[in-house]
Amino acid sequence: MKLSKAQYDEIAQFLGHVQPTRQSLRKLQERFPRYLNAVKKNAASPVLLELANEVDFAPSLMARIVLERFLQEEEGIIPSKTLINSMLRDPSLIPDGVLANQVYQCTVNDCCYGPLVDSIKHAIGHEHEVLLREMLLEKNLSFLAEEQLRAKGYDKTPDFILEVPVAVEGHIIHWIESKASFGDECSHQAYLHDQFWSYWNRFGPGLVIYWYGFIEELDCHRERGILLKDCFPTDIVTLRHNMAQR
């Protein structure tokens, strides 16, 4: 599906003068009924995906909006987030076959959002947690893993808590968090607010490993108790090592 420059400008101008509400989406649908018209012509055509690409919008997010709207009109109530997520993960659950195909095409062609990307991120995150566990075992460091801590009743925990603290670059470390991502300013500030300071408040100072690197200026809380690294530290000083030196 292609748009002329005039058509695109008309839609963009309309979007610029409405509030981001469901009522605005209804007005947009009434004025520019492209999706419905296009799928009537060719139900197998990736209409929703093309629409998302044309307006530079994440396909999975576009699919979520349309799916939510469809279910709301079918059921008469706002669908739950759980229901939406389950249908995005498994489009065969969507009662409309055409929409199910459109949603599927959006999710499998989205490289940034959606259930497929979430699964990839989860797998990579788990892989690096396993790697970190193996490194701790190689160093003969005793630790409690996240699942063990949750079994003890902790609700928000780092990946590993060291049963005996260690020193890294002159800083005492009680816990280690694995992040299989790059630490940019936005994500790091969110992690500080939602996770790291909570860990620090409950368990003391700790180490965060951003396996894919981070902005070096973000490593500014060392003196307060949060150390950043992009790999497993090689200069770990243990209590045993310290006593042997004496």
Side-chain angles (χ1 to χ4, degrees), residues 68-109:
E68 181 178 346
R69 177 64 180 170
F70 168 79
L71 293 174
Q72 184 177 353
E73 291 185 351
E74 287 289 306
E75 305 294 335
I77 58 174
I78 298 177
S80 67
K81 184 177 180 180
T82 301
L83 178 61
I84 294 291
N85 289 338
S86 66
M87 289 184 173
L88 289 174
R89 286 193 298 267
D90 182 4
S92 67
L93 298 175
I94 299 174
D96 184 280
V98 173
L99 180 57
N101 178 55
Q102 295 293 323
V103 169
Y104 171 77
Q105 293 181 70
C106 284
T107 56
V108 299
N109 286 286

Side-chain angles (χ1 to χ4, degrees), residues 1 30 33 41 51-52 59-60 76 113 127 135 155 165 177 183 187 205:
M1 180 183 297
E30 292 171 352
K41 293 179 181 178
L51 282 171
S60 289
Y113 300 98
E127 177 184 350
M135 291 178 170
D155 57 342
E177 177 75 3
S187 61

